[in-house]
Amino acid sequence: MTTTGLDLTAFTGTYTIDPSHSQIGFVARHAMVTKVRGAFNDFTGTVVFDGANPEATAVTVTIQAASVDTRNAQRDEHLRGNDFFAMQEHPEITFVSTGLRITGEDTFDLVGDLTVKGVTNQVTIPFTYQGSATDPFGNQRLGFEGSVAINRKDYGVTWNAALETGGFLVSDKIVLEFEISAIRNA
């Protein structure tokens, strides 16, 4: 994604996010002293890119909430429950883009609707284009990295526990992190 020197029309096409070479994760402050990192291990996504009109790019991502993984089984079960994701009632977290703005030579903002626990809010995710390559199997891949901070309470995720020393167990601010490898469909 560059506005100077790179012919974006070469990237026109439909791409599938490769979950085995991508990661969708999050970071939350825990007990006000450390960070807990987690990821979702089951997700799908599609990118439809028009190099002649990048602003018309369409991205959809569907995450299975049950696939949350923080490397702690007890915490993961709590996250799947009604206090957090309520995955029985809301098994999927979704993102559907509504626009794209090129912001620099290799940067862009992806704007869209993020739905968590049945609540939808618009987010703007700054991304950096990491490059393109043809893999050993002949697939054209594009790579992107991005992150955005959201307030979990904006999505109805309000559970918390007060600490004896003041403050709360879980931060309201959650950083969503995206490392994406997308393969052009044949």
Side-chain angles (χ1 to χ4, degrees), residues 1 8 18 23 28 35 48 51 68 98 122 139 143 149-150 155 160 165 169:
M1 299 257 154
L8 294 177
D18 177 3
Q23 182 168 344
K35 293 178 182 175
V48 179
V68 66
T98 58
Q122 187 178 78
N139 298 310
I150 64 169
Y155 294 89
N160 222 331
T165 56
L169 186 63

Side-chain angles (χ1 to χ4, degrees), residues 14-15 31 39 58 61-62 73 78 97 111 114 119-120 129 131 143 169 177:
T14 300
Y15 295 80
V61 177
T62 301
H78 191 199
S97 69
V111 180
L114 176 65
V119 178
T120 302
Y129 169 67
L169 186 63
E177 299 177 326

Side-chain angles (χ1 to χ4, degrees), residues 61-79:
V61 177
T62 301
I63 300 166
Q64 299 305 314
S67 73
V68 66
D69 182 0
T70 64
R71 299 179 302 133
N72 180 295
Q74 184 177 2
R75 179 174 45 228
D76 294 347
E77 281 306 310
H78 191 199
L79 289 171

Side-chain angles (χ1 to χ4, degrees), residues 17-27 37-46 59-64 67-70 85 93-95 114 125 127 144 146-148 175-181:
I17 294 174
D18 177 3
S20 64
H21 294 97
S22 300
Q23 182 168 344
I24 298 176
F26 59 90
V27 180
R37 294 184 179 277
F40 294 96
N41 296 326
D42 185 2
F43 57 88
T44 58
T46 304
V59 177
T60 58
V61 177
T62 301
I63 300 166
Q64 299 305 314
S67 73
V68 66
D69 182 0
T70 64
F85 294 127
I93 298 167
T94 61
F95 175 83
L114 176 65
I125 309 167
F127 274 93
F144 307 94
S147 66
V148 64
V175 177
L176 305 178
E177 299 177 326
F178 307 91
E179 296 175 26
I180 303 298
S181 177

